[in-house]
Amino acid sequence: MSQNVKRACLKTIQASAKNKLEDSGKCVKKPRISNDEAERTKKWLTDEKVEDEGYWKALAEQRRVALEKTLQENEELVTENELLKAEIEHWKKLAEKGMKLAQLLQETVDEESVEDT
C-alpha cells in the first residue's frame, strides 16, 4: 500500500471516529490500546515498505473464495427466482380457468333456478 493511501485511510478512520463521537452527543469511552500497539499500527499504516506480502495474498485469497461463494449463491437465487416466477404464472392461469369455470357454473345454476320457478 502506498504511503498516501495509508495516510488517507488513517485520516478517514480518525475522521469517522470523531464524527461518530460528535454526532452522538455522548461521551464515548475510547478503546484501551497500549501505546506500543498504537505505535505499531501507526508505523504499519505509514510505512512505505510492505513487510508481510503473505498476509495480503492470504487476505486476497479469502476474499476471492468468499466472492466466488457469493456469486454461486447469487446464481442459485436467480435460478430459483425464475422458477418461482414461472410457477406463479402457471398458478395464475389455473386460477383464471377456475374463475371462468366458476362463473359458467354459477350461470348454469342461475338458469336452472329461473326454470324451476
Side-chain angles (χ1 to χ4, degrees):
M1 215 184 265
S2 74
Q3 188 172 4
N4 291 338
V5 173
K6 288 180 183 178
R7 283 185 186 149
C9 183
L10 181 61
K11 286 180 182 179
T12 302
I13 292 169
Q14 289 171 340
S16 176
K18 184 178 178 183
N19 289 340
K20 285 181 184 176
L21 180 61
E22 290 172 354
D23 290 345
S24 69
K26 299 178 183 175
C27 182
V28 177
K29 217 176 200 182
K30 291 183 179 181
R32 295 181 186 177
I33 59 171
S34 67
N35 287 339
D36 185 45
E37 187 177 350
E39 283 300 317
R40 279 187 282 137
T41 303
K42 183 178 177 182
K43 183 179 184 287
W44 177 79
L45 286 171
T46 57
D47 193 9
E48 287 276 341
K49 182 180 173 186
V50 177
E51 294 178 11
D52 190 10
E53 289 185 28
Y55 167 78
W56 296 109
K57 287 180 182 178
L59 182 63
E61 179 62 18
Q62 287 175 348
R63 290 184 177 172
R64 185 194 64 76
V65 169
L67 178 61
E68 187 176 307
K69 181 180 177 184
T70 302
L71 289 173
Q72 177 65 32
E73 186 178 316
N74 190 29
E75 287 177 12
E76 291 171 4
L77 290 172
V78 166
T79 302
E80 183 179 350
N81 190 21
E82 290 172 355
L83 290 172
L84 289 172
K85 284 181 179 179
E87 188 176 342
I88 288 170
E89 281 301 312
H90 171 74
W91 289 113
K92 280 183 179 179
K93 288 178 182 177
L94 282 177
E96 287 175 12
K97 288 180 181 179
M99 293 299 289
K100 288 178 183 177
L101 183 60
Q103 184 180 9
L104 182 61
L105 186 59
Q106 184 64 42
E107 289 173 2
T108 305
V109 169
D110 289 344
E111 286 176 6
E112 287 180 1
S113 295
V114 170
E115 289 177 1
D116 288 343
T117 56

